[in-house]
């Protein structure tokens, strides 16, 4: 069983600058056709200072830290027995190319179902920009199968 003592555990923050080329590539990869994600003029016309971050891109940025999965080892999870359970986003203000974002993560909850056969770890991530504005809250559920 995963110790519930990890609830509230905070991980070191990491910071990433958003580049235009990566946003264009991601938009293309997800099939996004709205030109605000690939054309700087269209983004400006829509009121953005630069190309906006497409939905879900922030989770990819959170994985760009040293040892992105190290926290799973720290909690004692068996990597061969985990599943991605769920993810959700709450956006507070747009992020755009040129912004520098800081990701602050913590374990929000750990619980089990089916008499411990399934353990759920909820990780919450607060994203802020270089001005301290709250950009988004990300929530990620990891499930470990036991037995």
């Amino acid at each position: 069983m995963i110790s519930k003592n990890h609830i509230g555990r905070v991980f070191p923050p990491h910071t990433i600058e958003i580049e235009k080329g990566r946003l264009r590539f991601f938009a293309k990869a997800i099939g996004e056709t709205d030109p605000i994600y690939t054309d700087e003029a269209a983004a400006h016309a829509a009121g953005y200072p630069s190309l906006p971050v497409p939905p879900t891109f922030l989770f990819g940025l959170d994985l760009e830290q040293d040892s992105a999965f190290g926290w799973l080892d720290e909690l004692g999870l068996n990597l061969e027995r985990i599943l991605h359970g769920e993810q959700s986003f709450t956006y507070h203000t747009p992020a755009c190319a040129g912004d520098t974002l800081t990701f602050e993560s913590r374990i929000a909850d750990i619980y089990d179902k089916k008499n411990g056969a399934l353990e759920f770890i909820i990780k919450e991530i607060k994203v802020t920009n270089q001005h301290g504005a709250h950009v988004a809250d990300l929530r990620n559920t990891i499930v470990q199968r036991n037995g």
Side-chain angles (χ1 to χ4, degrees):
M1 295 291 288
I2 302 167
S3 173
K4 293 188 183 196
N5 289 335
H6 293 296
I7 296 172
R9 184 173 180 171
V10 175
F11 298 97
H14 67 101
T15 300
I16 297 176
E17 183 176 348
I18 302 173
E19 302 171 42
K20 292 177 191 173
R22 297 188 60 209
L23 294 178
R24 288 183 179 112
F25 183 78
F26 185 80
K28 183 178 179 181
I30 64 171
E32 179 58 65
T33 58
D34 189 332
I36 65 168
Y37 296 107
T38 55
D39 181 340
E40 188 91 19
H44 286 291
Y48 295 102
S50 188
L51 301 178
V53 170
T56 74
F57 186 73
L58 294 177
F59 263 119
L61 288 178
D62 185 49
L63 296 174
E64 294 187 15
Q65 57 181 299
D66 292 338
S67 188
F69 299 104
W71 69 276
L72 299 170
D73 284 336
E74 292 177 27
L75 270 57
L77 297 173
N78 181 344
L79 297 180
E80 296 175 353
R81 304 197 59 83
I82 63 169
L83 303 166
H84 172 73
E86 181 179 35
Q87 64 187 30
S88 63
F89 316 83
T90 302
Y91 295 98
H92 302 287
T93 192
C96 295
D99 282 343
T100 300
L101 302 180
T102 298
F103 294 73
E104 300 174 79
S105 306
R106 72 178 190 91
I107 302 297
D109 199 8
I110 298 171
Y111 60 91
D112 66 274
K113 291 185 177 181
K114 298 186 178 187
N115 295 319
L118 298 172
E119 292 182 284
F120 296 77
I121 302 96
I122 311 299
K123 183 179 175 190
E124 293 179 340
I125 305 151
K126 179 180 181 181
V127 183
T128 55
N129 67 17
Q130 68 276 14
H131 306 294
H134 191 179
V135 171
D137 292 307
L138 316 177
R139 186 175 171 98
N140 190 7
T141 302
I142 299 293
V143 182
Q144 178 169 276
R145 297 172 290 125
N146 296 317

